[in-house]
Amino acid sequence: MLVNVIGRKNTKLSIQQIELASAIFLSFMIDEKKFSKLNPFLTLNIKFPKNLTKNQKREKIMGLTECEDDYRYEKPVEFTITINPYMSVKQQMLALAHEMVHVKQFALGELDMDVSDCMVRYKKHHYDITSMSYFDQPWEIEAFGREFGLYERYMNFVREQNKKTKTQKRKLVGQLSKCLP
């Protein structure tokens, strides 16, 4: 998976945090069997725009996922995720987790949107989005339901890695101190 970060100066998140979180979020959602079915050229363009559009400001958009390729005949491979950079780091990570759920939905063929017809296919069911509240849309229910858990699991992973690093540093210092006169 290739991750391109655009507008990096507009967020306090590092490129490494964004890349690691994106990969971990996907790996927590997709089992090994399904993961092998993902296109190896999956590309994420993660944007932190300096200026949000008037619609994004008005609707208080936290994040947005768009498919960049024409996926009417094949599963999409390239996605652009826009994250509101004016939120806290935690809110940005939660938004990234939420949007990665949508990437998973599109990349595995679970979600297919035809905005021109206002129709959405989600897990083999068809929905007319003009007759549904945003919060009642099943693909959004999944994304909202998973975002906090994904974020917590990511934070636990990072804490464990930090503990391992500290333990390794202590061992190294102990070994070095034995070598010194």
Side-chain angles (χ1 to χ4, degrees), residues 43-81:
T43 302
L44 301 176
N45 303 304
I46 302 177
K47 294 176 11 180
F48 295 87
K50 188 172 186 175
N51 300 312
L52 297 175
T53 66
K54 287 181 183 180
N55 277 350
Q56 290 169 333
K57 285 180 186 173
R58 186 182 73 243
E59 295 176 18
K60 298 180 182 169
I61 297 290
M62 294 178 70
L64 177 69
T65 300
E66 300 171 276
C67 299
E68 293 300 328
D69 37 11
D70 183 3
Y71 63 94
R72 285 179 283 180
Y73 307 106
E74 291 186 36
K75 295 174 189 162
V77 177
E78 184 174 357
F79 303 90
T80 296
I81 296 174

Side-chain angles (χ1 to χ4, degrees), residues 142-153:
E142 180 186 4
F144 279 109
R146 285 184 166 234
E147 70 185 36
F148 188 76
L150 289 170
Y151 170 77
E152 282 299 310
R153 289 173 75 188

Side-chain angles (χ1 to χ4, degrees), residues 59-62 98 102 129 131-145 147:
E59 295 176 18
K60 298 180 182 169
I61 297 290
M62 294 178 70
H98 179 104
H102 294 314
I129 57 175
S131 64
M132 298 181 79
S133 166
Y134 171 78
F135 293 103
D136 291 334
Q137 297 169 351
W139 51 96
E140 292 299 340
I141 291 170
E142 180 186 4
F144 279 109
E147 70 185 36

Side-chain angles (χ1 to χ4, degrees), residues 84-101:
N84 182 339
Y86 300 104
M87 301 184 297
S88 70
V89 168
K90 180 179 179 180
Q91 288 174 312
Q92 289 179 36
M93 289 298 278
L94 286 166
L96 180 58
H98 179 104
E99 298 309 322
M100 288 302 295
V101 174

Side-chain angles (χ1 to χ4, degrees), residues 3 5 11 13-22 46 48 96:
V3 178
V5 180
T11 180
L13 293 170
S14 70
I15 290 173
Q16 291 80 13
Q17 285 174 304
I18 296 164
E19 289 174 341
L20 179 64
S22 302
I46 302 177
F48 295 87
L96 180 58

